[in-house]
Amino acid sequence: METTRHTKFRAWALLSLAAAFVLPAGPALAQSYPSRPVTLVVPQAAGGTNDIVGRLVGQKLGEVMNNASVVVDNRPGAGGNIGTQLVAKGPKDGYTLLMTISSSQAINPALYKNPGFDPEKDFKPVGLVGAVPNVLLVNPSFPAKNLAEFLKLARAKGANYQYASAGNGTLNHLLGEMLNSMAGISMQHVPYKGVAPALNDVLGGQLPIVFASLPSALPHIKAGKLRALAVSGEKRSPVLPDVPTIAEAVPGYNGTLWIGLFAPAGVPADVLATLQDATRKALASKDLRDKLDQQGVEIAAPTTPEQFSALLHDDLAKWARIVKASGAAVD
C-alpha cells in the first residue's frame, strides 16, 4: 500500500512539474513577446514621411526587442482610413500595430462622416515619435521666387492655380484649404494617392504647387528640383533655416504633423507595456535620433502614454474647429 501511495505521489509531482513548464505564468508570457514577426501598418503610400519614419523606427524597435522581425505594411487609401480600420478591426495580440500621422488619427474624424474607426476608443498609445512641418513647394519654373511673390500672384485677378496633395483628407490637403481661407486665395485641390505621385507630377511640371512633408520633400529641395517657399509650422525648421514660415506672412497659420505608434484597444496589458518600454528605448537611441533629425523630424521629448492620449484628445478638438472654419469636407 505504501509503495502504491509513493508511486501516485511521485506521478502527481511529475505532472505538476510538467504543467509548470507547459503553462507559464503571466510575466513569462510577456517575456516571450514577440515570438513571431510584428507588422507595422502604415496607412500611407511608400515614400511618404510616415513610411520613411516607420521603417527607421521599426528597424530600431526590432533591435531593442531582441532582434525581432518588424515589417512595414503600407495600406494607403481614403486619407489613411483604410489602414487604420485594418488595425482597429484586426487581432488584438500586439503583432499588428499602427504607425500613423495626425492627419489620419486627429483630422479624419472631422473630415469624414464615417472614417470607420474611433481614434480614442479603438486604440492604445504606444509612443509619440515626433513632429514634422509640411513645406509649400513649387516647380522651379514657377514665377514666384519667395512666399510674398507667391501670395501676390495667387491673389491676382483671375488666378487659378492648382495644388497637389497626398489625397483627400490628408494634412497637406487641409493646409491648402487653410491657406485659401486665411490668405484670401483660391487654389484648386488635386488629390493623389500618396505624396510620391503628387511630388512626381510637380517635379514633371504637370502641376505647379504641392504641400509635402519635409522628410519626403527634402531630397528634391537639396537637389534644386523643387523650390521651398515656406514651412507650415510655428517656427522655421533647423533643416531649412532660410525658408520662412507661412505664419510670417499669414498670421495665425500653423499646421504641424505628428507621428506616433498605436496598438489596437484590447491588446494584453503586459504586451502593451513591453511595446511601450521598447519604444521608449528605441527613441532614446542616438543612432535613431540622428537618422530622424537628418530627415527633418523634430523628435518628441519623452512622452508618457497618458500625455500622448491627451495630445490626441486636444488635437481632435482643435482640428474639428479648423475643418469647420475652412469648410473642407470629404464624403
Side-chain angles (χ1 to χ4, degrees):
M1 178 69 72
E2 191 63 34
T3 301
T4 302
R5 287 179 180 174
H6 179 73
T7 301
K8 288 182 177 180
F9 176 79
R10 185 170 62 179
W12 175 83
L14 289 172
L15 286 171
S16 298
L17 183 62
F21 285 99
V22 175
L23 299 173
L29 282 172
Q31 291 171 7
S32 68
Y33 173 87
S35 59
R36 54 188 172 85
V38 176
T39 298
L40 290 189
V41 173
V42 170
Q44 287 79 34
T49 291
N50 197 26
D51 178 65
I52 294 169
V53 174
R55 292 178 189 279
L56 291 173
V57 173
Q59 180 181 9
K60 177 55 64 174
L61 191 61
E63 293 174 11
V64 170
M65 295 193 298
N66 299 317
N67 291 317
S69 175
V70 179
V71 181
V72 170
D73 182 9
N74 297 92
R75 294 296 184 101
N81 289 346
I82 291 176
T84 307
Q85 292 171 19
L86 178 71
V87 179
K89 298 174 182 178
K92 321 296 183 186
D93 53 11
Y95 287 94
T96 303
L97 308 174
L98 179 70
M99 177 65 76
T100 193
I101 51 181
S102 53
S103 61
S104 295
Q105 205 76 355
I107 299 177
N108 280 7
L111 277 171
Y112 290 81
K113 292 180 179 178
N114 180 20
F117 64 92
D118 186 304
E120 295 182 287
K121 293 180 180 179
D122 290 341
F123 295 94
K124 291 290 184 181
V126 175
L128 177 64
V129 176
V132 293
N134 266 247
V135 190
L136 174 59
L137 303 156
V138 294
N139 184 282
S141 64
F142 193 78
K145 305 300 182 185
N146 53 52
L147 181 59
E149 292 181 1
F150 173 85
L151 291 175
K152 183 178 180 179
L153 287 171
R155 287 168 175 156
K157 185 177 180 180
N160 189 26
Y161 295 114
Q162 293 180 315
Y163 77 96
S165 83
N168 285 320
T170 60
L171 178 60
N172 37 36
H173 165 207
L174 190 57
L175 290 174
E177 297 298 329
M178 288 173 60
L179 188 58
N180 279 342
S181 176
M182 296 180 70
I185 61 178
S186 55
M187 298 183 297
Q188 293 183 355
H189 175 229
V190 179
Y192 285 76
K193 293 182 178 180
V195 70
L199 284 170
N200 284 339
D201 268 14
V202 177
L203 286 164
Q206 284 84 0
L207 287 177
I209 305 160
V210 64
F211 282 89
S213 56
L214 183 52
S216 56
L218 194 57
H220 303 300
I221 297 170
K222 288 183 175 180
K225 296 179 179 179
L226 290 174
R227 182 182 301 134
L229 298 182
V231 294
S232 67
E234 290 181 307
K235 58 184 180 180
R236 296 190 180 195
S237 170
V239 179
L240 298 173
D242 296 329
V243 177
T245 66
I246 294 177
E248 290 177 41
V250 184
Y253 190 100
N254 178 35
T256 301
L257 183 85
W258 54 250
I259 306 169
L261 182 61
F262 290 85
V267 68
D270 50 1
V271 172
L272 181 61
T274 297
L275 283 167
Q276 291 169 339
D277 181 62
T279 302
R280 281 193 296 270
K281 291 176 180 176
L283 293 175
S285 63
K286 185 178 184 304
D287 58 337
L288 177 60
R289 295 177 72 87
D290 287 345
K291 290 175 182 177
L292 292 174
D293 184 65
Q294 291 167 9
Q295 294 292 336
V297 178
E298 299 171 3
I299 303 162
T303 305
T304 67
E306 292 75 20
Q307 290 171 325
F308 192 8
S309 289
L311 171 64
L312 173 60
H313 185 79
D314 290 346
D315 271 7
L316 285 165
K318 166 191 166 182
W319 285 108
R321 293 192 299 269
I322 292 174
V323 167
K324 184 177 180 180
S326 70
V330 181
D331 294 327

